Structures are given as C-alpha cells and as structure tokens.
Amino acid sequence: MQRLHQTLVGVRRRHPWLVRARTAIHTLDSTALSYTLAAPDGRSTLGVALNFGPSPATAGIPAAAWTPVEGDASVDSVTGVVSLPPTGWFIATTSGSHK
C-alpha cells in the first residue's frame, strides 16, 4: 500500500497542472471507470482506468499515443480501449506529458 501511495504522489508531483485540469469521463458503469485529465493549455493529458469487478473488463479513453505510467493494464492507442484485469487499474500520459 505504501508503494502505491508513493507512486500516486509521484504522478501528482510530475504533473503539477492536475490541480487545474479539465476532467472528462469516458466509461462509467458498475464495474469500470475511465477518465482523462487535460492540462489547461491542452498540451498534456493523463488517462486513468479502473476495474472495480472480479472479472476482466474494458474501458475507453480517447485514441492517442499513450505512454503507460503505472498499473496492470494495457491500452490500444489506435482504439483507446483499455484492457483491465480483475480489480486492475491503469494510468497513462500522452507523449507530450510524461517526464
């Protein structure tokens, strides 16, 4: 749990624009949530996908050249489909926003 906390704090520190980001929800159902956070200047985006269920799930984020940051899922950059394992999560950035 401490490693997860440190990871999430690190993501926040590398992306100080998150406090002013615009949020868009792309998937919201009983087992999955996905959303993106866009920087005010539009040059950086962070994508998040979560699976709350005991079975694999998919969620959608906009198709882009995503760079995985953390988590145990994968994204198809052409379609924006995120494949999540049971209770899995995923954080990715667009190529211009990962340091």
Side-chain angles (χ1 to χ4, degrees):
M1 183 62 88
Q2 182 179 0
R3 181 185 168 337
L4 174 59
H5 182 260
Q6 289 172 334
T7 297
L8 296 175
V9 168
V11 169
R12 169 63 182 87
R13 286 183 177 158
R14 286 189 304 275
H15 303 91
W17 52 263
L18 285 171
V19 296
R20 297 176 313 283
R22 292 181 319 273
T23 303
I25 296 175
H26 303 285
T27 302
L28 177 58
D29 60 36
S30 62
T31 60
L33 167 66
S34 66
Y35 60 94
T36 52
L37 301 151
D41 63 10
R43 296 185 319 190
S44 302
T45 305
L46 188 112
V48 177
L50 307 167
N51 179 1
F52 306 114
S55 301
T58 59
I61 56 177
W66 293 101
T67 301
V69 175
E70 287 292 334
D72 48 4
S74 62
V75 62
D76 182 326
S77 294
V78 174
T79 63
V81 173
V82 181
S83 299
L84 296 152
T87 64
W89 59 282
F90 180 73
I91 300 174
T93 60
T94 53
S95 57
S97 61
H98 184 71
K99 289 185 180 181

